[in-house]
Amino acid sequence: MSRIPALAAAFAPHAELAGELLPHAFAAEDGSHDASHLIRVWKNALRIQAEEGGDIRQLAAAVLLHDCVSVEKNSPLRAEASRLAAEKASAVLGDLGWSPADISSVAHAILTHSFSANLAPETLEAGILQDADRLDAIGMVGAARCFYIAGRMGSGLYDPLDPLAEERPPDDKAFAIDHFETKLFRLSGGFQTGAGRRLALEREARLRSVLAMMLDEI
């Protein structure tokens, strides 16, 4: 039996929309960008939207489709992933009869959510999606995802001679915890909403605790 109806229920109050979009939401088997990631991003988006406002239907579509095209982290095309996802999402929503204005808003949110794309959100919905997605990259879950991706890419956990890259250039393609400093600890300073910034500071503190505990055990 398909799991889609059960998964769709997690996207209330837009479970019906989720049922329509989930078949288009995944492009590859990737445990860091799977249904659990979408559900966590949706919960983050709901928390932010409750304080900041924004069109919740557009947010639901943007969350569900923001990773609908998969480009590996080590691919030279990585910066194009959000553009490709925005194009696919536009086609999917067009087939469902969404208005051009709503499609454009969702596509913009997807286009600008990615760190790799380096594009600034220009709407509240886009800012919320970016914040909600980045919250899942920091904190305890962010640490777990970082190590999971490092394993998929064939990276080591850390440099045994210089874990904190104090006497070498950091290399997050070779060592997982180098990614904490090269990217993850830099995310909290770029959040778009007040609610997102507050949550980001809480999660960054957790991420720093994970690193401190790991260094203590090393």
Side-chain angles (χ1 to χ4, degrees):
M1 180 183 295
S2 171
R3 299 179 65 206
I4 287 178
L7 291 172
F11 293 88
H14 288 289
E16 182 177 352
L17 175 63
E20 294 176 322
L21 297 184
L22 279 169
H24 307 280
F26 310 108
E29 291 294 329
D30 177 359
S32 64
H33 296 90
D34 57 3
S36 63
H37 169 65
L38 295 185
I39 292 169
R40 290 191 304 270
V41 174
W42 175 238
K43 290 178 178 179
N44 293 339
L46 286 178
R47 291 182 69 180
I48 297 170
Q49 191 272 344
E51 295 187 34
E52 306 286 344
D55 188 307
I56 195 169
R57 178 171 173 263
Q58 291 180 11
L59 277 172
V63 168
L64 284 156
L65 296 176
H66 77 279
D67 284 331
C68 66
V69 171
S70 176
V71 179
E72 287 286 12
K73 295 285 188 183
N74 58 358
S75 169
L77 297 177
R78 179 61 188 169
E80 297 297 310
S82 63
R83 178 184 63 80
L84 296 171
E87 291 175 356
K88 178 180 174 181
S90 296
V92 169
L93 296 177
D95 289 343
L96 293 175
W98 279 48
S99 72
D102 285 347
I103 292 173
S104 178
S105 180
V106 172
H108 173 71
I110 293 173
L111 176 66
T112 59
H113 89 276
S114 169
F115 183 86
S116 301
N118 194 29
L119 297 171
E122 296 178 0
T123 66
L124 176 57
E125 292 76 19
I128 291 174
L129 175 64
Q130 187 181 99
D131 284 2
D133 186 56
R134 292 186 182 186
L135 282 172
D136 205 49
I138 53 180
M140 187 62 235
V141 169
R145 291 177 74 210
C146 178
F147 293 128
Y148 171 86
I149 293 168
R152 289 185 73 239
M153 298 294 102
S155 303
L157 292 178
Y158 60 91
D159 181 344
L161 300 178
D162 188 5
L164 289 179
E166 294 172 318
E167 297 180 3
R168 62 174 174 84
D171 183 0
D172 60 358
K173 291 183 173 60
F175 306 112
I177 67 170
D178 284 23
H179 194 60
F180 284 39
E181 193 61 51
T182 60
K183 178 181 177 183
L184 302 186
F185 289 148
R186 300 183 181 189
L187 291 177
S188 63
F191 275 65
Q192 302 294 317
T193 67
R197 284 190 290 274
R198 186 186 72 252
L199 292 168
L201 291 175
E202 294 173 2
R203 295 203 185 183
E204 183 186 302
R206 296 177 192 171
L207 188 63
R208 291 188 181 277
S209 294
V210 169
L211 179 59
M213 289 186 289
M214 185 172 180
L215 291 172
D216 179 66
E217 294 186 9
I218 291 170

